[in-house]
Short mmCIF file of all heavy atoms in Angstrom, two decimals:
data_model
loop_
_atom_site.label_atom_id
_atom_site.label_comp_id
_atom_site.label_asym_id
_atom_site.label_seq_id
_atom_site.Cartn_x
_atom_site.Cartn_y
_atom_site.Cartn_z
N GLU X 348 -24.05 0.83 23.55
CA GLU X 348 -24.15 -0.46 24.34
C GLU X 348 -23.40 -1.53 23.63
O GLU X 348 -22.65 -2.32 24.28
CB GLU X 348 -25.63 -0.79 24.42
CG GLU X 348 -26.25 -0.40 25.77
CD GLU X 348 -27.71 -0.63 25.81
OE1 GLU X 348 -28.23 -1.68 25.33
OE2 GLU X 348 -28.44 0.29 26.21
N LYS X 349 -23.51 -1.63 22.41
CA LYS X 349 -22.87 -2.62 21.52
C LYS X 349 -21.34 -2.45 21.72
O LYS X 349 -20.59 -3.37 21.99
CB LYS X 349 -23.26 -2.58 20.12
CG LYS X 349 -22.72 -3.64 19.29
CD LYS X 349 -23.36 -3.78 17.90
CE LYS X 349 -22.97 -5.09 17.22
NZ LYS X 349 -23.61 -5.21 15.90
N ILE X 350 -20.89 -1.21 21.56
CA ILE X 350 -19.48 -0.91 21.71
C ILE X 350 -18.98 -1.27 23.16
O ILE X 350 -17.90 -1.81 23.27
CB ILE X 350 -19.23 0.56 21.32
CG1 ILE X 350 -19.32 0.69 19.80
CG2 ILE X 350 -17.82 1.03 21.81
CD1 ILE X 350 -19.33 2.12 19.31
N ASN X 351 -19.77 -0.83 24.08
CA ASN X 351 -19.36 -1.14 25.48
C ASN X 351 -19.23 -2.64 25.75
O ASN X 351 -18.38 -3.09 26.53
CB ASN X 351 -20.34 -0.52 26.46
CG ASN X 351 -20.11 0.99 26.48
OD1 ASN X 351 -19.02 1.53 26.24
ND2 ASN X 351 -21.18 1.77 26.85
N HIS X 352 -20.07 -3.36 25.06
CA HIS X 352 -20.00 -4.82 25.18
C HIS X 352 -18.71 -5.27 24.60
O HIS X 352 -17.99 -6.14 25.23
CB HIS X 352 -21.18 -5.49 24.42
CG HIS X 352 -21.14 -6.92 24.37
ND1 HIS X 352 -21.43 -7.72 25.49
CD2 HIS X 352 -20.85 -7.74 23.34
CE1 HIS X 352 -21.34 -8.94 25.10
NE2 HIS X 352 -21.00 -9.08 23.87
N TRP X 353 -18.22 -4.73 23.41
CA TRP X 353 -16.92 -5.10 22.91
C TRP X 353 -15.79 -4.73 23.91
O TRP X 353 -14.78 -5.43 24.05
CB TRP X 353 -16.70 -4.44 21.62
CG TRP X 353 -17.41 -4.92 20.38
CD1 TRP X 353 -17.82 -6.31 20.24
CD2 TRP X 353 -17.99 -4.25 19.34
NE1 TRP X 353 -18.53 -6.32 19.05
CE2 TRP X 353 -18.62 -5.10 18.50
CE3 TRP X 353 -17.90 -2.85 18.93
CZ2 TRP X 353 -19.18 -4.77 17.32
CZ3 TRP X 353 -18.44 -2.55 17.71
CH2 TRP X 353 -19.18 -3.44 16.92
N LYS X 354 -15.96 -3.51 24.48
CA LYS X 354 -14.92 -3.06 25.42
C LYS X 354 -14.76 -4.01 26.58
O LYS X 354 -13.56 -4.26 26.99
CB LYS X 354 -15.29 -1.68 26.02
CG LYS X 354 -15.03 -0.47 25.10
CD LYS X 354 -15.30 0.87 25.84
CE LYS X 354 -14.97 2.04 24.96
NZ LYS X 354 -15.32 3.30 25.67
N VAL X 355 -15.82 -4.62 27.10
CA VAL X 355 -15.76 -5.59 28.13
C VAL X 355 -15.22 -6.95 27.61
O VAL X 355 -14.36 -7.54 28.29
CB VAL X 355 -17.14 -5.78 28.77
CG1 VAL X 355 -17.08 -6.88 29.84
CG2 VAL X 355 -17.64 -4.52 29.36
N GLU X 356 -15.57 -7.28 26.49
CA GLU X 356 -15.25 -8.63 25.82
C GLU X 356 -13.79 -8.56 25.48
O GLU X 356 -13.10 -9.58 25.65
CB GLU X 356 -16.14 -8.77 24.65
CG GLU X 356 -16.14 -10.16 24.12
CD GLU X 356 -17.14 -11.06 24.78
OE1 GLU X 356 -17.68 -10.67 25.87
OE2 GLU X 356 -17.41 -12.12 24.26
N TYR X 357 -13.32 -7.44 24.95
CA TYR X 357 -11.92 -7.38 24.39
C TYR X 357 -11.19 -6.23 24.95
O TYR X 357 -10.78 -5.34 24.20
CB TYR X 357 -11.90 -7.35 22.84
CG TYR X 357 -12.82 -8.37 22.14
CD1 TYR X 357 -14.09 -8.01 21.63
CD2 TYR X 357 -12.48 -9.65 22.03
CE1 TYR X 357 -14.86 -8.88 21.02
CE2 TYR X 357 -13.22 -10.61 21.40
CZ TYR X 357 -14.49 -10.23 20.88
OH TYR X 357 -15.26 -11.10 20.29
N PRO X 358 -10.91 -6.19 26.23
CA PRO X 358 -10.23 -5.04 26.83
C PRO X 358 -8.78 -4.95 26.38
O PRO X 358 -8.16 -6.00 25.98
CB PRO X 358 -10.37 -5.23 28.30
CG PRO X 358 -10.38 -6.70 28.43
CD PRO X 358 -11.11 -7.28 27.22
N MET X 359 -8.20 -3.72 26.40
CA MET X 359 -6.74 -3.57 26.15
C MET X 359 -6.08 -3.88 27.46
O MET X 359 -5.75 -2.92 28.21
CB MET X 359 -6.51 -2.19 25.59
CG MET X 359 -5.06 -1.95 25.22
SD MET X 359 -4.46 -3.03 23.93
CE MET X 359 -4.93 -2.16 22.44
N ALA X 360 -5.97 -5.14 27.84
CA ALA X 360 -5.51 -5.50 29.16
C ALA X 360 -3.98 -5.34 29.27
O ALA X 360 -3.28 -5.47 28.33
CB ALA X 360 -6.01 -6.82 29.52
N CYS X 361 -3.56 -5.12 30.55
CA CYS X 361 -2.07 -5.10 30.84
C CYS X 361 -1.89 -6.44 31.62
O CYS X 361 -2.41 -6.65 32.66
CB CYS X 361 -1.76 -3.94 31.64
SG CYS X 361 -0.06 -3.95 32.19
N PRO X 362 -0.99 -7.27 31.08
CA PRO X 362 -0.66 -8.52 31.83
C PRO X 362 -0.13 -8.25 33.12
O PRO X 362 0.76 -7.43 33.29
CB PRO X 362 0.33 -9.24 30.86
CG PRO X 362 0.88 -8.18 29.97
CD PRO X 362 -0.12 -7.09 29.89
N ASP X 363 -0.66 -8.98 34.16
CA ASP X 363 -0.16 -8.81 35.53
C ASP X 363 0.08 -10.18 36.11
O ASP X 363 -0.72 -10.75 36.83
CB ASP X 363 -1.26 -8.03 36.33
CG ASP X 363 -0.77 -7.79 37.71
OD1 ASP X 363 0.43 -7.85 37.99
OD2 ASP X 363 -1.60 -7.51 38.60
#
Side-chain angles (χ1 to χ4, degrees):
Chain X
E348 263 168 44
K349 185 166 193 180
I350 286 170
N351 287 334
H352 177 72
W353 286 328
K354 281 187 179 179
V355 174
E356 195 88 345
Y357 310 104
M359 184 60 84
C361 175
D363 183 17

